[in-house]
Amino acid sequence: MIYSQKTPATLILGIVFAAYGWAVKQGLLDGMLAYLGQTKNADEMVAIALTAGIVGIIAGIVQLFATAREGNFDYYLSTIAGALFILLVAAVVKWQFAPLVAILSKAMGTVGGTGKPIHKLLGLNYVVLGILSGIIIVNYFKIPSWAENGVRLSRLGLKTGVILLGALYSIAELAKLGQLSVVMIGFFVLGSVGMVLFIGARRHIPNSMGGVLSAGMGVCGVSATVAAAPVVQAKSTEIAYTIGTILLWGVLMMFIFPPLGHALGMGPVQFGAWAGTGILNSAQVAGAALAFQPDGIETLKVAEIFNITRVLFLPIIVLWLAVWYVKRESGAQTVNVGKVIVGKFPVFVLGFILVFALSSTGIFAPANHYKGKYFDNSNVSAKKMLSDGDVATLQAQVDKVQREDRTAALSRLMENRKVMSIDDDDTLRGLVNAKVLDKGANKILKKAHKAVRHTAKRVKKFRQLIVWFFAFGLVGLGMQITFASIKQAGGQPLFIGTIVGATKAVGALIVILLFVQETI
């Protein structure tokens, strides 16, 4: 089958990108960028636009003038136009539309007694606006036929972003988040699966329906649904109902979680843990995390650790459902569980683990980095060192500190006016988290922490690249959310899914607010 079309669309998109990149490089758009507050992104615009432009022009010429032949090259060539189409929408939203919305929103003033403009209150940043743009395009216009293959490729952008995230973790950081995620996810995944099976039996839905719905609601959305389907011998309609339920619930939560998280004063660790536990599908988890913190990826990192931990529970759930289904369904055939797990296990998780292993060697950043930053107190500028006033503030509260290690670290900090070692940095972060000192003293300790933590250049590049992979993938995700697919959620699956999804979201929120603390 020949996939590529003789369409000028690819070439036109390439020319548009190249022209925009050239205009920014020549300073022709400086006025507009200054008005939108995007001058700082000029280098990023040039790099992305010129790269996309070159790819589009070359691919467009090949499509127009070369003879198409069946094969992988033909298929991947056919995806370039769609990929550029998604990237164009993402770029317009990120560079022009979202900044314009922010400007207009600020001009309208704050909403009520919140002290926030409406775009902050509703979370109308480039992530949310990008997803909404995709939804509007697919439902009210139409994805052009030449772009369809590329739109399907958008999931690859999300998975590539997750893989690259592995470069930003340190062993200590991953171990800490991993311990928390295993406890949280273990409880809520197993609880959600059991709850669906329990309610399903009392609502008298078929065992195959209950099995595939429990995997989708409990583990990781669509991936778990597809993995569990052959184990419980689910029908295609039951798979469609489950995916429709997951899509409807997940889309709603993707827009509800971020403003609610801000209203509750949640930080990156708390919100990331909540999104990674309470939202069903991987793409929706990423969307909520970036919507909550569009100008950084700390929240995304935490959310994806929880999401990946959830995926790692997939073999356990598949085995559980296989045993459960055979016992309950008379005449059910046993399934090779090992073959199903190997065939359906998400490969991007293995990619994440591989990149993290490479990161641990120091290839992307020093091996002792934390949140993408490494410890170095040799080049702390005078303005970042503690002032006499800072030392006096800390000295006045030394008596509040009971632990000897914290007292010693605090003394070295005051004596040298900067943090002296990684161990001292960890100890002082623990002191802040313990809330022993008042807010003013904790603010000084946070300032001292930031002064000795530096972002590696490669990590900074990875951060920018990761944000774009997710922006690309989430706009493409929006282009795959049709009202028809949401309507696929049948009555019983939607009823059960709503009960279980709401219970998981509220339960996880309560546990996190009570027991999960932020780190500096």
Side-chain angles (χ1 to χ4, degrees):
M1 180 177 179
I2 301 296
Y3 292 96
S4 58
Q5 302 178 22
K6 285 191 176 298
T7 170
T10 311
L11 181 59
I12 292 172
L13 286 170
I15 293 172
V16 168
F17 271 112
Y20 185 82
W22 177 82
V24 173
K25 189 175 180 63
Q26 297 301 314
L28 301 180
L29 303 179
D30 285 354
M32 181 188 72
L33 297 184
Y35 172 73
L36 295 173
Q38 293 296 297
T39 304
K40 61 183 181 297
N41 292 325
D43 291 341
E44 176 187 81
M45 292 179 184
V46 172
I48 291 175
L50 290 182
T51 301
I54 292 170
V55 171
I57 290 171
I58 294 174
I61 292 172
V62 172
Q63 281 183 327
L64 285 174
F65 300 106
T67 302
R69 293 183 176 84
E70 289 188 25
N72 291 332
F73 176 78
D74 171 69
Y75 176 76
Y76 288 113
L77 182 66
S78 73
T79 65
I80 292 176
L84 291 177
F85 178 62
I86 295 173
L87 187 61
L88 180 63
V89 175
V92 169
V93 170
K94 192 172 189 298
W95 293 334
Q96 276 87 35
F97 186 49
L100 182 60
V101 168
I103 291 170
L104 296 176
S105 172
K106 290 175 182 176
M108 294 169 62
T110 58
V111 179
T114 64
K116 295 181 179 180
I118 191 168
H119 80 287
K120 287 284 187 183
L121 201 63
L122 299 179
L124 297 178
N125 50 58
Y126 74 91
V127 177
V128 173
L129 293 173
I131 296 170
L132 288 174
S133 297
I135 293 174
I136 291 170
I137 289 171
V138 72
N139 287 284
Y140 293 103
F141 300 95
K142 185 182 178 183
I143 303 297
S145 60
W146 48 262
E148 289 176 353
N149 285 345
V151 169
R152 297 188 192 100
L153 192 70
S154 61
R155 292 183 183 275
L156 182 61
L158 292 171
K159 293 175 180 178
T160 303
V162 172
I163 291 171
L164 293 179
L165 271 175
L168 304 187
Y169 294 93
S170 64
I171 292 177
E173 186 180 7
L174 193 62
K176 185 172 183 178
L177 290 174
Q179 291 173 357
L180 175 63
S181 67
V182 168
V183 174
M184 286 284 296
I185 295 298
F187 179 79
F188 283 102
V189 163
L190 298 176
S192 297
V193 171
M195 192 174 176
V196 171
L197 296 180
F198 178 81
I199 298 174
R202 275 138 191 83
R203 302 289 296 188
H204 304 294
I205 65 174
N207 291 325
S208 53
M209 179 75 253
V212 76
L213 182 63
S214 69
M217 295 298 300
V219 189
C220 52
V222 175
S223 298
T225 300
V226 173
V231 172
V232 296
Q233 300 174 7
K235 302 178 181 66
S236 58
T237 52
E238 293 168 339
I239 296 172
Y241 285 148
T242 297
I243 292 175
T245 300
I246 291 166
L247 186 61
L248 176 59
W249 178 260
V251 168
L252 289 174
M253 294 305 100
M254 188 166 54
F255 293 113
I256 292 174
F257 268 46
L260 187 56
H262 284 299
L264 293 172
M266 300 177 79
V269 174
Q270 289 181 319
F271 186 85
W274 185 35
T277 304
I279 298 179
L280 304 178
N281 211 20
S282 299
Q284 296 156 355
V285 169
L290 281 171
F292 180 81
Q293 187 191 15
D295 55 349
I297 59 174
E298 285 72 26
T299 305
L300 177 63
K301 285 175 62 180
V302 177
E304 285 302 331
I305 281 298
F306 277 73
N307 183 50
I308 287 172
T309 303
R310 197 165 53 180
V311 175
L312 293 175
F313 271 83
L314 185 56
I316 299 173
I317 301 305
V318 169
L319 181 60
W320 176 7
L321 291 176
V323 175
W324 171 85
Y325 185 72
V326 170
K327 285 184 177 180
R328 289 183 62 89
E329 191 76 13
S330 58
Q333 298 178 350
T334 57
V335 177
N336 188 329
V337 176
K339 186 176 181 180
V340 170
I341 292 172
V342 172
K344 302 296 183 181
F345 191 81
V347 177
F348 75 89
V349 175
L350 302 179
F352 170 88
I353 295 171
L354 175 61
V355 173
F356 165 69
L358 291 173
S359 175
S360 301
T361 68
I363 191 172
F364 304 122
N368 64 359
H369 67 84
Y370 175 78
K371 292 188 177 179
K373 297 184 177 182
Y374 63 94
F375 181 89
D376 180 12
N377 71 344
S378 63
N379 59 351
V380 179
S381 62
K383 66 179 181 180
K384 291 185 177 181
M385 297 182 73
L386 265 60
S387 66
D388 291 340
D390 293 336
V391 173
T393 299
L394 295 177
Q395 186 66 55
Q397 299 191 52
V398 169
D399 292 342
K400 294 182 179 180
V401 183
Q402 302 297 318
R403 283 175 42 172
E404 291 184 5
D405 59 337
R406 290 176 177 174
T407 301
L410 194 58
S411 297
R412 285 189 289 269
L413 171 63
M414 291 187 294
E415 180 182 351
N416 296 280
R417 312 263 174 143
K418 62 182 179 181
V419 180
M420 295 306 295
S421 68
I422 294 176
D423 289 339
D424 278 2
D425 191 38
D426 291 339
T427 301
L428 293 172
R429 282 193 290 113
L431 179 59
V432 171
N433 294 335
K435 298 181 179 179
V436 174
L437 308 180
D438 64 23
K439 290 183 179 179
N442 283 339
K443 186 176 180 180
I444 294 170
L445 293 183
K446 291 179 182 180
K447 170 188 169 185
H449 165 75
K450 292 178 180 178
V452 296
R453 289 284 174 175
H454 309 279
T455 303
K457 291 182 179 180
R458 289 184 182 180
V459 168
K460 189 176 290 186
K461 293 295 183 183
F462 266 111
R463 285 174 179 266
Q464 293 174 337
L465 195 60
I466 288 166
V467 166
W468 272 101
F469 271 117
F470 277 103
F472 171 85
L474 291 169
V475 170
L477 171 68
M479 291 183 184
Q480 297 175 63
I481 299 175
T482 63
F483 297 148
S485 64
I486 290 177
K487 290 179 181 178
Q488 284 181 326
Q492 289 285 17
L494 183 58
F495 173 78
I496 297 170
T498 300
I499 292 176
V500 175
T503 302
K504 181 196 285 190
V506 174
L509 177 62
I510 293 172
V511 170
I512 286 164
L513 290 177
L514 289 176
F515 301 109
V516 177
Q517 299 297 319
E518 287 295 312
T519 58
I520 64 172

